[in-house]
Amino acid sequence: MHDIKLQTAIQNYKNKQETNPTYYSEQRAERKERREYYQSFSEDKLLGMTVEAFYEYISKLWSMLIWGNKKYIVDKIVADNGFENLKKRLTELLFNTNPIETRWDNFLKDVKGFGPATISELLMYINPQEYVILNKTTIQCFTYLEIDGMPKYNYQYTGKKYLEICSIAKEISSRLIKSGIKEADLLSVDYFLWDEVLPSAEKKVLSITEKTIDTVKISNKELTSLHDEIKEKLVSIGELLGFESRSEVHIASGAVVDAVWEAKIGNMGKAIYVFEVQSKGSIDSLILNLKKAQSNAAVQAVVAVADEAQLEKIIIESKGVIDEKSLRTWNSDDVLAVYDALVRVHESINKLALVPESF
């Protein structure tokens, strides 16, 4: 950790608290309100929740800010997991005494619709002395503070890595307390990162020589996880853009594609955009799937998603096989960057509450 950067941020944070006490008093009140709300749910109360209560429980989370229609997302989570099973798994995550690494890995593996940001936020509210939020902001701030080994892809967000992140957050908490900031649990650390470290981190210019996905050094298991992550991000991008977005879709005879975006056009029909993700290996299956997808008259474009080297191969090998006018290519790193950017945009806009949720 870069000691000077951290100490400078802490000192700036202290100075701002002294010059604007009202703002930081409101922050402390908000933290207290959030802690008390989520800590009011015992294991029995969580297991006894109705769907309506569960909607309120989830929709209050910061991680849900990206969604304008939160009910649609919560309904999907309930449908995908089964409500009773979902409540049971949540209680195991939040209240079980097994090591957090085990609870984390099991929950992420078995429960659909929850990512690291959501489950770490819940853990933090339940026990802010032990757990911190793990999201892109945390990673960006820690990277700025020159902390090594920060995860980039979803498969790297393991329980072991989360425990490491919490340990670093505790170190920052200790430094805040030593500097005279009394209320400095890990929820307070999150506010500190957002208020003071993130603005500096966002000013940091990324090197144009930054490497893209290095598939040579990734194991087959990790490649599968990376493939699934990009596929999930494609679905989420489509949803954020207002499409009906799904994965693993039977689009034509003999063709199940990774993701589709659909837009209904009144009562006339729909326009479909098809995505196939390539991580490593033969591209024959991808080209064949995209060719078959083009036989569906509603498909407006087919998109191959891969790293730069594989996209070049796809373009060359698909000539004369796929209609070039409807073939598009999308760098997989760009997909991840677009998702992150869209999330920030939607979080900012949805904070304004321009459209009532019941609209």
Side-chain angles (χ1 to χ4, degrees):
M1 189 184 305
H2 195 290
D3 188 72
I4 295 176
K5 284 184 177 180
L6 177 58
Q7 193 54 45
T8 300
I10 290 174
Q11 189 57 52
N12 290 340
Y13 192 59
K14 281 187 64 180
N15 293 341
K16 289 177 182 177
Q17 287 190 336
E18 292 170 2
T19 57
N20 193 356
T22 300
Y23 171 75
Y24 289 97
S25 176
E26 290 174 352
Q27 268 200 354
R28 286 191 291 273
E30 182 186 18
R31 292 200 294 269
K32 180 181 179 183
E33 182 182 347
R34 283 181 169 274
R35 277 196 304 264
E36 290 179 349
Y37 173 78
Y38 284 97
Q39 289 178 3
S40 72
F41 285 85
S42 63
E43 184 173 354
D44 288 341
K45 185 177 178 181
L46 188 56
L47 287 170
M49 273 198 300
T50 63
V51 173
E52 292 75 17
F54 179 72
Y55 166 76
E56 180 183 8
Y57 183 82
I58 296 298
S59 64
K60 285 179 176 289
L61 296 172
W62 286 323
S63 64
M64 291 294 290
L65 269 175
I66 65 171
W67 302 110
N69 187 349
K70 296 180 180 63
K71 188 175 187 307
Y72 168 79
I73 299 300
V74 174
D75 286 348
K76 189 173 186 298
I77 290 172
V78 170
D80 286 345
N81 296 284
F83 190 43
E84 295 305 316
N85 174 63
L86 181 58
K87 291 189 290 184
K88 179 183 176 183
R89 299 314 299 266
L90 267 175
T91 57
E92 290 172 355
L93 171 71
L94 300 176
F95 299 106
N96 196 286
T97 56
N98 287 334
I100 186 57
E101 308 99 289
T102 303
R103 287 182 280 149
W104 177 279
D105 289 339
N106 288 343
F107 192 88
L108 276 182
K109 177 171 62 76
D110 297 335
V111 179
K112 297 179 180 179
F114 284 83
T118 299
I119 67 174
S120 60
E121 186 177 348
L122 286 170
L123 283 164
M124 181 184 67
Y125 292 140
I126 295 297
N127 190 349
Q129 302 299 327
E130 290 294 323
Y131 305 124
V132 73
I133 288 181
L134 174 52
N135 56 18
K136 292 292 182 181
T137 296
T138 310
I139 298 307
Q140 193 173 356
C141 291
F142 282 12
T143 300
Y144 169 76
L145 293 172
E146 300 185 22
I147 299 167
D148 295 330
M150 291 300 101
K152 182 177 181 182
Y153 306 115
N154 278 2
Y155 72 84
Q156 298 170 324
Y157 284 74
T158 63
K160 181 179 179 181
K161 179 58 67 175
Y162 181 58
L163 191 63
E164 179 185 326
I165 296 290
C166 290
S167 178
I168 295 167
K170 289 176 185 178
E171 184 179 344
I172 295 173
S173 170
S174 177
R175 292 284 293 275
L176 287 167
I177 292 171
K178 287 179 181 179
S179 297
I181 299 174
K182 296 180 181 179
E183 291 188 27
D185 59 16
L186 302 194
L187 176 54
S188 303
V189 168
D190 183 75
Y191 275 73
F192 162 69
L193 293 176
W194 266 93
D195 269 10
E196 196 54 49
V197 182
L198 183 61
S200 298
E202 289 180 330
K203 291 177 183 177
K204 182 180 178 183
V205 179
L206 293 175
S207 169
I208 60 172
T209 61
E210 183 178 8
K211 289 185 178 180
T212 55
I213 297 170
D214 187 351
T215 56
V216 175
K217 298 180 181 179
I218 298 178
S219 69
N220 287 333
K221 181 179 180 181
E222 290 168 339
L223 279 171
T224 299
S225 298
L226 182 56
H227 179 280
D228 291 343
E229 176 180 356
I230 295 170
K231 183 171 62 177
E232 290 168 6
K233 292 295 191 290
L234 286 168
V235 172
S236 294
I237 290 170
E239 290 174 336
L240 290 168
L241 292 175
F243 290 97
E244 182 180 337
S245 189
R246 295 171 291 145
S247 63
E248 298 296 320
V249 178
H250 184 275
I251 196 68
S253 178
V256 176
V257 295
D258 285 327
V260 299
W261 297 351
E262 294 185 9
K264 293 182 179 179
I265 307 172
N267 60 0
M268 297 173 61
K270 55 189 174 183
I272 300 177
Y273 304 91
V274 170
F275 299 83
E276 274 283 278
V277 180
Q278 178 71 13
S279 52
K280 193 175 183 181
S282 172
I283 62 175
D284 293 345
S285 176
L286 176 142
I287 292 174
L288 182 59
N289 257 6
L290 293 183
K291 177 178 173 59
K292 289 179 179 178
Q294 287 184 324
S295 68
N296 185 324
V299 172
Q300 305 300 302
V302 294
V303 184
V305 181
D307 61 38
E308 187 175 343
Q310 293 190 94
L311 288 178
E312 290 179 5
K313 293 179 183 178
I314 291 168
I315 291 170
I316 293 170
E317 296 187 28
S318 65
K319 284 185 177 178
V321 180
I322 298 177
D323 180 7
E324 295 181 30
K325 292 181 180 180
S326 65
L327 175 63
R328 310 285 191 274
T329 59
W330 199 353
N331 187 292
S332 45
D333 265 3
D334 286 346
V335 171
L336 301 178
V338 166
Y339 171 78
D340 289 342
L342 273 175
V343 165
R344 295 297 298 275
V345 168
H346 281 260
E347 283 178 345
S348 181
I349 292 174
N350 289 335
K351 282 180 182 177
L352 302 176
L354 298 177
V355 180
E357 184 123 356
S358 60
F359 182 77

